[in-house]
Amino acid sequence: MDGSGDKKSFILSYEELLQAQKNNNVLIIDVREQKEINETGKLPGSIHIPMGTVANMLNLMDDQFKKQFEKSKPNKDSKIILSCKSGMRSAAVQQELQKLGYQNVYNYAGGWSEWENKQKC
Ligand SMILES: O=S(=O)([O-])[S-]
């Protein structure tokens, strides 16, 4: 939330992520592959959807989405945060969702790498 109108960056910092993790109205999606999640676990507070299937999952019926992810399906105005390992794949998914009309999609650019490092501090 930088208040600069049209020129919002839609990039999320670690501190902003910490706030979002406490907010049930924000959907955090870890878009890494299953193999990576098996190795590290998913980002706390997130649901896991591999990058290639995010758009498909957002096409599920509301109740199917809820059943599968135990979170409400976001609408085009919902705040969505995407995270991967280092911000590249999540940026690609961010663009894809923006093209589909999702207006409030953020990239946690630091991704799992930053998250993991911060936990060691
Ligand atoms: O996770 S990554 O695409 O930034 S390497």
Side-chain angles (χ1 to χ4, degrees):
M1 248 147 285
D2 60 12
S4 60
D6 290 342
K7 289 274 176 244
K8 242 169 139 181
S9 72
F10 290 103
I11 292 177
L12 203 86
S13 68
Y14 175 73
E15 287 71 25
E16 289 168 318
L17 176 73
L18 292 179
Q19 291 306 313
Q21 284 170 322
K22 296 183 209 146
N23 184 344
N24 267 335
N25 296 320
V26 179
L27 184 67
I28 306 173
I29 310 178
D30 190 326
V31 302
R32 291 176 297 157
E33 299 305 315
Q34 185 64 53
K35 185 168 158 277
E36 297 170 88
I37 304 294
N38 293 346
E39 284 164 10
T40 65
K42 60 186 167 66
L43 190 70
S46 71
I47 63 170
H48 171 228
I49 310 180
M51 76 174 292
T53 59
V54 175
N56 284 344
M57 291 302 154
L58 292 177
N59 270 336
L60 289 175
M61 305 294 286
D62 290 2
D63 55 341
Q64 283 178 305
F65 188 95
K66 182 123 200 198
K67 201 165 162 199
Q68 185 152 345
F69 299 108
E70 293 173 356
K71 293 267 183 184
S72 298
K73 191 177 110 168
N75 59 40
K76 300 268 160 105
D77 298 319
S78 305
K79 183 163 179 174
I80 302 173
I81 297 169
L82 302 165
S83 180
C84 61
K85 184 172 181 200
S86 319
M88 303 289 288
R89 286 172 288 173
S90 48
V93 179
Q94 179 188 30
Q95 280 193 11
E96 186 186 3
L97 296 190
Q98 284 171 337
K99 280 191 195 133
L100 290 171
Y102 290 86
Q103 314 262 357
N104 217 359
V105 189
Y106 290 77
N107 181 17
Y108 171 45
W112 180 264
S113 306
E114 179 181 70
W115 170 264
E116 196 178 31
N117 276 331
K118 296 274 191 190
Q119 306 319 299
K120 293 179 194 149
C121 296

